[in-house]
């Protein structure tokens, strides 16, 4: 039985990636809706996603799926974390790298948090996926967030340089969506 879920995002790249990862999943029929939701400023993507999910469920009045992503630098105690979008907008890829220039440790991780809710007032379910890697100077196309500066462990290319199908197998988003698929299976 296929369940129709509204994925709330205005990010076309994110939508395409999620659709590609969920393609062929018989239990999920994903539809998209862009909503201008106020975003809670919190220390974790979990808190942000739960809040966004509750707000979206109230507006859509149907099952919703939302997502929030962090890029965390180990040398900075996981910053910028859920604030990565604003750090990237303010500093750019090179500025993000400069934040680590005084540190020997350039390791970090990408964390993706999906939250699902059946509707208003219902329980929010959270699914997280994490990929460890290294923060590098920008390489590859600059059209999808911080992908040009994140090189996952075990690879010599950044997310941006990686074949999309390969990225969709190993990324933080893919790991989180595997948990979403298992929940609905």
């Amino acid at each position: 039985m296929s369940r129709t879920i509204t994925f709330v995002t205005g990010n076309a790249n994110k939508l395409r990636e999620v659709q590609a990862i969920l393609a062929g999943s018989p239990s999920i029929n994903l539809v998209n809706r862009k909503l201008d939701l106020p975003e809670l400023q919190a220390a974790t993507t979990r808190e942000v996603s739960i809040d966004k999910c509750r707000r979206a469920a109230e507006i859509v009045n149907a099952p919703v799926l939302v997502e929030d992503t962090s890029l965390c630098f180990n040398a900075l105690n996981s910053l910028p974390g859920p604030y990565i979008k604003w750090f990237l907008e303010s500093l750019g890829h090179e500025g993000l790298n400069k934040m680590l220039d005084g540190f020997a440790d350039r390791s970090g991780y990408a964390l993706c948090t999906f939250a699902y809710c059946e509707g208003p007032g219902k329980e929010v379910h959270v699914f997280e996926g994490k990929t460890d890697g290294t923060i590098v100077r920008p390489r590859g196309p600059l059209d999808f967030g911080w992908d040009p500066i994140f090189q996952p462990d075990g690879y010599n290319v950044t997310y941006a340089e990686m074949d999309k199908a390969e990225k969709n197998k190993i990324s933080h988003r893919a790991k989180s969506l595997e948990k979403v698929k298992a929940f609905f299976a």
Side-chain angles (χ1 to χ4, degrees):
M1 178 178 105
S2 183
R3 174 185 311 256
T4 298
I5 301 169
T6 301
F7 178 46
V8 177
T9 186
N11 183 323
N13 285 326
K14 187 181 293 185
L15 175 62
R16 275 192 296 277
E17 200 167 273
V18 169
Q19 287 171 326
I21 294 168
L22 290 178
S25 178
S27 56
I28 302 171
N29 175 35
L30 201 65
V31 296
N32 177 242
R33 182 162 171 195
K34 180 182 177 179
L35 291 177
D36 192 18
L37 296 169
E39 191 164 305
L40 175 73
Q41 299 304 296
T44 68
T45 56
R46 182 181 193 84
E47 294 170 271
V48 173
S49 294
I50 289 171
D51 184 71
K52 266 199 299 194
C53 195
R54 286 187 177 129
R55 290 173 189 266
E58 291 289 331
I59 293 167
V60 175
N61 197 28
V64 295
L65 186 68
V66 302
E67 185 252 20
D68 199 66
T69 300
S70 288
L71 183 62
C72 304
F73 301 170
N74 291 328
L76 299 177
N77 295 321
S78 298
L79 282 173
Y83 306 110
I84 185 60
K85 177 181 176 182
W86 292 277
F87 274 64
L88 180 59
E89 283 178 12
S90 295
L91 304 173
H93 296 109
E94 284 297 340
L96 287 169
N97 264 276
K98 286 179 184 174
M99 289 172 54
L100 291 175
D101 281 351
F103 297 91
D105 183 3
R106 297 187 75 82
S107 68
Y109 58 94
L111 180 67
C112 179
T113 305
F114 275 92
Y116 168 77
C117 184
E118 259 316 301
K122 302 288 185 177
E123 180 182 1
V124 175
H125 302 273
V126 177
F127 313 91
E128 292 189 314
K130 178 181 173 184
T131 300
D132 292 313
T134 304
I135 310 308
V136 299
R137 298 287 176 214
R139 300 192 318 252
L142 304 176
D143 61 344
F144 194 6
W146 42 262
D147 279 9
I149 65 166
F150 186 74
Q151 181 175 303
D153 285 353
Y155 289 83
N156 61 3
V157 295
T158 64
Y159 271 172
E161 295 171 299
M162 197 175 275
D163 174 77
K164 299 283 185 237
E166 181 67 16
K167 178 188 174 197
N168 288 345
K169 289 180 193 170
I170 62 105
S171 75
H172 55 300
R173 186 166 288 124
K175 292 172 183 175
S176 183
L177 284 170
E178 283 304 314
K179 293 175 183 177
V180 171
K181 288 194 276 189
F183 179 79
F184 289 110

